[in-house]
Amino acid sequence: MPPVVLSAAAAIADIPRGATLLFGGFGTAGFPHALAAAMADRAPDLRDLVTFSNAAALPGWGLGLLFERRMVRKCHTSHVGSNPIAAAEYLRGEIELEFVPQGSLAERMRAGGAGIPAFFTPTGAGSLVEFGGFPTLLSNDGMCQPVRTTRPREAREFNGKWCLLESAITGDFAII
């Protein structure tokens, strides 16, 4: 039986700097707010985090707390529009940001948990998701020049429909 912990702080105590974290929830609904707040309390020691989450949350709430304290190095998400702090950090070249279609994000996490290394999906075929080149990291010189971009995806046709190969997502910790 897994150990029982009595506080959010105890539950996240073993998360190291640079960890890859998979967050549950949909926006703010079902998001593990207490665990995110406990992580925020560990700043600045806990930093350089790589996060996977449905959304970049809101300032002062959930994952937004980690952005406010500059704890995130790279964020994979479907939506950042409600968090001007995360958007500003991206535009200043302070964090790497990769947009992932909502369904693909969920399926990539599911595949990782099931031990499936990759799968094909029609989502994103014919777009920047397929062709790559979307800026994930911008220069920090005020010019917003792409430093890193998304990679092209392998595409194959199945029953007359083009599909992209998506890799599974695994993390160091699932925060649910």
Side-chain angles (χ1 to χ4, degrees):
M1 175 179 254
V4 175
V5 294
L6 301 177
S7 68
I12 58 94
D14 293 334
I15 296 175
R17 176 182 176 181
T20 297
L21 308 176
L22 311 179
F23 285 90
F26 183 79
T28 58
F31 188 87
H33 296 286
L35 296 174
M39 283 184 228
D41 288 343
R42 289 188 50 202
D45 296 327
L46 183 60
R47 63 184 183 277
D48 296 326
L49 300 173
V50 176
T51 64
F52 289 84
S53 179
N54 156 266
L58 302 166
W61 193 249
L63 197 56
L65 294 170
L66 306 186
F67 286 106
E68 288 176 5
R69 289 165 177 81
R70 300 182 182 268
M71 299 169 73
V72 177
R73 177 175 50 85
K74 184 172 184 178
C75 175
H76 301 260
T77 187
S78 295
H79 177 68
V80 74
S82 299
N83 190 333
I85 295 168
E89 288 178 3
Y90 168 68
L91 292 172
R92 288 191 305 261
E94 296 171 359
I95 64 166
E96 193 166 353
L97 179 65
E98 185 169 340
F99 288 103
V100 183
Q102 178 66 50
S104 297
L105 179 66
E107 183 60 14
R108 288 175 65 192
M109 286 185 189
R110 189 204 67 78
I116 299 167
F119 61 91
F120 281 96
T121 177
T123 304
S127 75
L128 277 177
V129 175
E130 176 180 351
F131 304 120
F134 187 88
T136 61
L137 181 64
L138 300 175
S139 61
N140 61 4
D141 59 3
M143 300 301 291
C144 291
Q145 296 297 311
V147 173
R148 261 187 230 118
T149 61
T150 57
R151 63 174 174 73
R153 304 290 202 281
E154 178 182 339
R156 291 190 191 175
E157 188 176 0
F158 295 94
N159 300 319
K161 185 179 259 189
W162 283 96
C163 296
L164 307 181
L165 182 65
E166 289 285 1
S167 300
I169 295 170
T170 57
D172 301 314
F173 296 87
I175 311 298
I176 54 174

